[in-house]
């Protein structure tokens, strides 16, 4: 089971972390550059959640680099439990933030037609949500791999 | 591993299914009784997703009853894979629907103060979302148990 793609301390694991980090950072930048985002709770929550996701992924990416450089094994039960809890918490928070922001943008766009107002940057909000969903997809993959590794220890 | 609480074909598994079914049905009723819900995509999606959740849980509850009555074993790899896929799909859809509806209600309540309009049944929407989150909690528990069982086969 140690050869599972996406395991901690492998190149595939590191690439998953880099993917999470890049898309989470892109989502934070897209939200922060949308004028007036702070007036909406859903977008404030999205920026907070993506910030947490980026920090967690950065930490794990550094740990993966260290393990790859010094050929350390990161498959102990204690470390895997920590990764499982952290990955699941960040993945669930990211998904909740993406879905609630998506719910608000769909309301603006299709239900109350607020996106016809050119002052509301719906395009940037949509870009931020797309990046957040991509970051969540990488994060969910990591979380599933960690859970599978822990279950098959 | 066959004694894990929440396994298919056990009383704990059946109680999880009944919990999912009851809260999903309560969420559908609360949404359907809120006047004007059909004007909002998020609530239409919530009702569709909770309907699917209720149908899936009803089917699995019937299967659990059958297994309990005739003492059948539901732990084959094929059946567990089917339960894992079905549970994960319904759990993810339920969570997405709950979060997007919650995002819209938070927007109504805190950001644009639409809940001050007495014609908007925010209380019923909140009740529907609370039931949907409870149904999701039971569904996520089932999904995790199934995944754990499949990983440790």
């Amino acid at each position: 089971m140690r050869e599972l793609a996406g395991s901690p301390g492998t190149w595939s694991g590191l690439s998953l972390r880099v993917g999470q980090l890049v898309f989470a950072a892109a989502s934070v930048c897209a939200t922060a550059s949308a004028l007036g985002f702070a007036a909406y709770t859903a977008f404030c929550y999205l920026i907070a959640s993506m910030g947490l996701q980026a920090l967690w992924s950065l930490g794990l990416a550094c740990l993966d680099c260290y393990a790859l450089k010094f050929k350390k094994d990161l498959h102990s039960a204690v470390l895997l439990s920590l990764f499982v809890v952290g990955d699941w918490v960040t993945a669930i928070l990211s998904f909740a933030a993406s879905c609630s922001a998506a719910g608000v943008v769909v309301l603006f766009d299709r239900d109350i037609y607020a996106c016809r107002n050119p002052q509301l940057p719906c395009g940037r909000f949509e870009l931020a949500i797309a990046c957040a969903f991509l970051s969540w997809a990488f994060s969910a993959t990591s979380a599933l791999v960690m859970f599978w590794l822990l279950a098959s220890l």
Side-chain angles (χ1 to χ4, degrees), chain A:
Chain A
M1 275 300 160
R2 296 201 171 184
E3 296 307 309
L4 197 66
S7 290
T10 61
W11 285 106
S12 54
L14 180 61
S15 57
L16 279 179
R17 298 296 168 191
V18 171
Q20 291 160 27
L21 177 60
V22 168
F23 286 112
S27 177
V28 168
C29 293
T31 315
S33 68
L35 278 177
F37 81 90
Y40 305 104
T41 312
F43 299 115
C44 296
Y45 175 42
L46 182 69
I47 219 167
S49 163
M50 284 295 120
L52 177 71
Q53 175 75 63
L55 283 178
W56 170 257
S57 303
L58 180 66
L60 274 277
C62 291
L63 195 63
D64 279 345
C65 286
Y66 167 80
L68 280 169
K69 189 167 180 193
F70 297 102
K71 304 209 182 303
K72 297 277 182 191
D73 184 21
L74 299 177
H75 288 77
S76 73
V78 176
L79 273 180
L80 275 181
S81 307
L82 179 76
F83 297 157
V84 165
V85 173
D87 270 345
W88 279 87
V89 169
T90 51
I92 290 176
L93 288 180
S94 301
F95 191 57
S98 313
C99 289
S100 57
V104 170
V105 166
V106 169
L107 179 90
F108 284 167
D109 196 27
R110 295 200 185 176
D111 301 335
I112 60 172
Y113 305 109
C115 286
R116 289 180 183 170
N117 174 3
Q119 287 192 312
L120 196 71
C122 284
R124 280 184 192 258
F125 289 147
E126 282 163 16
L127 177 67
I129 293 164
C131 289
F133 271 115
L134 284 171
S135 176
W136 167 75
F138 284 105
S139 180
T141 311
S142 279
L144 283 180
V145 169
M146 297 297 166
F147 192 70
W148 189 276
L149 284 171
L150 187 68
S152 48
L153 262 187

